[in-house]
Amino acid sequence: MSTIDPAILAKANSWLNGNIDEETKNSIRQLIKDNQTELVDSFYQDLEFGTGGLRGLMGVGTNRMNVYTIGMATQGLANYLLKYFPGEDIKVAITHDSRINNTLFATTTANVLTANGIKVLYFKEMRPTPMLSFAVRHFGCKSGVMITASHNPKEYNGYKAYWEDGAQVVAPHDTNIIKEVQKITSFDQVNWNKQDNLFSYIEEDFDAIYLEKVKRLSLAPNEIQQQKDLPIVFSPIHGASGKMVPAAIRVFGFENIHIVKEQAEPDGTFPTVVYPNPEEAEALTLSLKLGKEVGAELILACDPDGDRYAAAVPNAQGEFELLNGNQTGSLLTYYLLSRWKEAGKLNGKQFMVNTIVTTELIDRICEGFGVKCFSVLTGFKNIAAIIRDLEGKETFIGGGEESYGYLVGDFVRDKDGVSACAMVAEVVAYYKTKGKTVFDVLAEIYERFGFYKETLISVTKKGKDGAEQIQALMTDFRHHPPKEMNGQAVERIVDVKASTVTHVESGKVEKLDMDKSNVMQFYLADGSKISARPSGTEPKIKYYFSVNKTLPQASDYRKVESELVSRLEGLKQYFS
């Protein structure tokens, strides 16, 4: 027992002596007796209510997702809502995805809110994150809560808090909510006395309202009619999008949709995949198998909460090739701007948004069409903030981030895998009517704006030690930045946390006009860009790599791609 920090043991004992259920107490006793490492990790800190909410491993203790940490977070949220909207009719929309403890955590959230006199609109069935975002605005809610851990492994769950504009909370509300949450230091400060009269359901008829909005996004109904039998495979990867994505694709006009049966049913254990993450090729194994069987021309998949999407299409050899988030984002951007231009709708009052770790190809495409493109910090809430600030003044066409998130139109204020899947299907169908494949269109984009290629390394470092190692890595980048990589000099260093841009050769330092974030970026002499960013939601540090080169002609596609892949591999060696 002497090896355990007394402060950690005191926290564990405060739970043992507190007003909690016996099963939780027994689990804590078991940890004290048999697993002190897990005990330390469960109690060494409070699970941080960050700017997006909570996310963490499920289990007992202050550093875990459980009904007590969720209750405390919700009490803090309730206190802030009551303080910010005094005397107003406050409503909060709630739903969840398919994760373990999904309904337990969602109903806990609902119960604490109603106990505090706040009305709850609770989705009768699980629905994807974008529908929660839309519901907040549609029903005039002041806030929303989505119980999800997105694409994290099955052991995780989370709690995403939304504001009245349908976006995840941003300044000043994010820090103000965090302060209120931090004031709740015990579950005894939580009002658990639910008021059932303040609870009502969002029924299934809301689906049709959302789908009608999605349908209006379509720019090519005639071309889709010509390609309505396009074979499309879809997998919800055991998540919450199994009903809505096929419905959205159908409402666009497609009829030949094949669902991956083994992954169709919601299941928080995600039994057929290692990780329920469409960014991982392994998660699409069954989708690719079905795609070959049915001769699919497009394969789509979503993560458990349906905000991220992935796509695969057959190449010239007939083999399915996975498109990354930068490629699909570039395709969607090019398609949307091309179609808006053809319709004569670009008049200088439109804009798009992406993030600082997303491909700069999107910026080049926007420049080519004369459309503003804002670059913001990672996190879709920052994209939504630009949409909110320009609402009523300029029109948002679309935007996204490299991590397989995209949004078309502004009725949702978070990334929307449901409408994105439908729009990617439209892109494939539209260009097919012009005799072009997806790779023909990518070559067209690369010839015109430059061939950009990106990759990503995620390094996982779990627990207290891992968090300290990640911070040490970032400190080292700041104090001892690399001078060259892959034979190319580092010309410019951007420190988003320090708000500085350093020109290495001259030593000149400029001010960076952007919110602070723990991100370092290195720009090399050949145009390569490397970004280092600790994840805000996972025990990881992520390294983003981007290289580019001119594409002389479409026939050089694979040759230039091979050169870019070689450059990426050279850069990755510095960080793996």
Side-chain angles (χ1 to χ4, degrees):
M1 200 64 65
S2 59
T3 59
I4 304 179
D5 183 327
I8 291 172
L9 194 57
K11 280 177 96 172
N13 281 322
S14 74
W15 276 50
L16 283 175
N17 298 324
N19 185 26
I20 63 172
D21 65 279
E22 202 57 37
E23 186 180 347
T24 297
K25 289 183 178 181
N26 286 336
S27 296
I28 295 170
R29 292 185 190 107
Q30 200 71 36
L31 290 180
I32 292 172
K33 182 172 173 238
D34 296 328
N35 195 341
Q36 295 185 358
T37 302
E38 179 65 18
L39 179 78
V40 168
D41 203 45
S42 297
F43 283 96
Y44 85 92
Q45 65 175 7
D46 292 345
L47 186 63
E48 183 183 357
F49 192 96
T51 55
L54 297 169
R55 189 178 297 187
L57 290 163
M58 289 178 279
V60 300
T62 60
N63 191 35
R64 293 288 184 261
M65 288 289 296
N66 52 65
V67 293
Y68 303 106
T69 52
I70 282 174
M72 292 164 70
T74 305
Q75 185 64 54
L77 174 62
N79 289 350
Y80 183 66
L81 288 169
L82 292 166
K83 185 182 289 186
Y84 192 80
F85 299 107
E88 294 191 45
D89 180 31
I90 303 174
K91 294 180 287 191
V92 177
I94 299 174
T95 191
H96 57 79
D97 65 13
S98 60
R99 285 186 177 270
I100 296 166
N101 293 320
N102 53 6
T103 54
L104 175 64
F105 292 167
T107 53
T108 298
T109 304
N111 292 344
V112 173
L113 288 170
T114 62
N116 285 275
I118 293 170
K119 292 177 182 174
V120 165
L121 304 181
Y122 189 97
F123 277 78
K124 200 161 192 176
E125 297 178 3
M126 70 176 72
R127 285 294 181 264
T129 290
M131 289 188 70
L132 184 277
S133 170
F134 176 52
V136 169
R137 297 177 72 227
H138 178 78
F139 292 110
C141 298
K142 302 300 188 190
S143 180
V145 175
M146 178 76 193
I147 300 297
T148 178
S150 190
H151 57 285
N152 283 60
K154 63 185 178 183
E155 296 84 8
Y156 284 77
N157 214 323
Y159 177 113
K160 291 200 286 197
Y162 288 76
W163 200 241
E164 61 180 335
D165 63 343
Q168 287 190 61
V169 289
V170 294
H173 307 298
D174 52 1
T175 51
N176 289 340
I177 292 170
I178 289 167
K179 286 174 188 171
E180 291 296 333
V181 172
Q182 288 171 344
K183 291 177 187 174
I184 310 299
T185 55
S186 164
F187 33 76
D188 291 327
Q189 295 169 266
V190 178
N191 186 345
W192 300 99
N193 300 312
K194 63 174 180 163
Q195 298 184 58
D196 289 336
N197 62 308
L198 296 178
F199 180 100
S200 60
Y201 283 114
I202 295 175
E203 301 284 353
E204 200 174 342
D205 58 3
F206 179 67
D207 295 352
I209 298 169
Y210 168 77
L211 288 170
E212 180 57 34
K213 291 278 192 181
V214 171
K215 184 179 181 179
R216 291 181 201 168
L217 298 173
S218 177
L219 302 174
N222 294 334
E223 287 83 358
I224 289 174
Q225 188 58 32
Q226 294 174 50
Q227 302 295 336
K228 65 182 181 180
D229 292 323
L230 185 86
I232 300 170
V233 163
F234 173 68
S235 173
I237 314 183
H238 306 289
S241 64
K243 179 177 180 180
M244 298 311 299
V245 169
I249 297 171
R250 286 192 189 96
V251 88
F252 261 42
F254 295 99
E255 297 177 1
N256 191 8
I257 305 164
H258 304 265
I259 313 299
V260 179
K261 289 188 178 66
E262 299 94 329
Q263 297 177 333
E265 288 303 311
D267 187 339
T269 66
F270 309 116
T272 64
V273 295
V274 178
Y275 299 109
N277 185 355
E279 295 178 60
E280 305 281 348
E282 182 274 333
L284 300 184
T285 301
L286 290 171
S287 301
L288 296 170
K289 178 174 175 286
L290 180 59
K292 287 177 182 173
E293 290 170 7
V294 302
E297 293 183 45
L298 174 64
I299 290 171
L300 296 162
C302 281
D303 67 347
D305 70 317
D307 60 353
R308 297 170 196 254
Y309 69 100
V313 291
N315 59 22
Q317 289 71 45
E319 294 297 317
F320 286 110
E321 203 164 314
L322 303 180
L323 303 174
N324 64 35
N326 286 312
Q327 288 173 306
T328 53
S330 299
L331 275 167
L332 286 167
T333 301
Y334 182 68
Y335 172 73
L336 290 167
L337 293 182
S338 299
R339 301 291 282 142
W340 275 62
K341 184 178 181 182
E342 287 167 19
K345 296 199 300 182
L346 295 182
N347 60 9
K349 291 187 178 294
Q350 292 75 36
F351 68 98
M352 303 191 89
V353 194
N354 66 7
T355 68
I356 60 173
V357 295
T358 302
T359 179
E360 292 183 3
L361 175 57
I362 290 175
D363 300 83
R364 304 289 86 78
I365 294 169
C366 290
E367 284 172 14
F369 283 92
V371 173
K372 288 191 290 290
C373 184
F374 295 90
S375 190
V376 298
L377 293 176
T378 307
F380 223 89
K381 64 183 180 180
N382 297 305
I383 294 175
I386 298 286
I387 298 172
R388 185 194 64 230
D389 291 345
L390 293 176
E391 193 167 10
K393 303 171 199 166
E394 298 187 23
T395 302
F396 173 73
I397 296 176
E401 50 191 1
E402 54 73 41
S403 54
Y404 295 66
Y406 205 86
L407 176 64
V408 184
D410 68 356
F411 61 91
V412 169
R413 296 297 171 89
D414 204 345
K415 50 188 175 283
D416 186 349
V418 179
S419 60
C421 280
M423 191 55 77
V424 170
E426 174 167 308
V427 169
V428 173
Y430 175 81
Y431 286 114
K432 188 180 178 186
T433 65
K434 312 298 178 192
K436 297 176 183 178
T437 67
V438 164
F439 293 103
D440 292 333
V441 182
L442 282 172
E444 189 177 297
I445 295 169
Y446 296 151
E447 271 190 271
R448 189 168 165 187
F449 303 107
F451 198 150
Y452 283 72
K453 190 84 177 167
E454 290 82 18
T455 193
L456 167 72
I457 297 176
S458 288
V459 180
T460 301
K461 294 183 179 293
K462 293 183 178 178
K464 183 172 180 286
D465 290 345
E468 290 168 355
Q469 288 174 46
I470 288 170
Q471 288 312 311
L473 282 167
M474 294 302 291
T475 300
D476 194 51
F477 284 135
R478 289 189 166 91
H479 294 158
H480 309 286
K483 291 183 170 57
E484 68 84 33
M485 284 181 240
N486 218 21
Q488 297 292 319
V490 176
E491 292 189 336
R492 194 159 38 107
I493 299 171
V494 175
D495 186 340
V496 184
K497 189 176 183 181
S499 300
T500 57
V501 180
T502 303
H503 298 269
V504 175
E505 191 173 342
S506 66
K508 182 183 175 186
V509 179
E510 296 174 346
K511 176 84 172 162
L512 179 70
D513 184 20
M514 183 177 284
D515 289 341
K516 294 180 187 297
S517 182
N518 193 13
V519 180
M520 292 287 293
Q521 295 185 303
F522 306 96
Y523 290 80
L524 309 189
D526 64 355
S528 300
K529 174 175 135 184
I530 302 93
S531 304
R533 182 183 77 90
S535 171
T537 56
E538 302 170 83
K540 291 180 177 180
I541 183 168
K542 295 183 177 182
Y543 300 108
Y544 305 80
F545 305 90
S546 177
V547 296
N548 65 85
K549 197 175 191 291
T550 57
L551 180 64
Q553 55 194 19
S555 58
D556 293 324
Y557 185 108
R558 295 301 177 183
K559 175 174 171 287
V560 172
E561 182 181 51
S562 177
E563 292 172 17
L564 293 174
V565 168
S566 178
R567 278 168 60 185
L568 288 170
E569 290 304 315
L571 290 171
K572 282 164 67 176
Q573 290 175 17
Y574 288 79
F575 297 89
S576 51

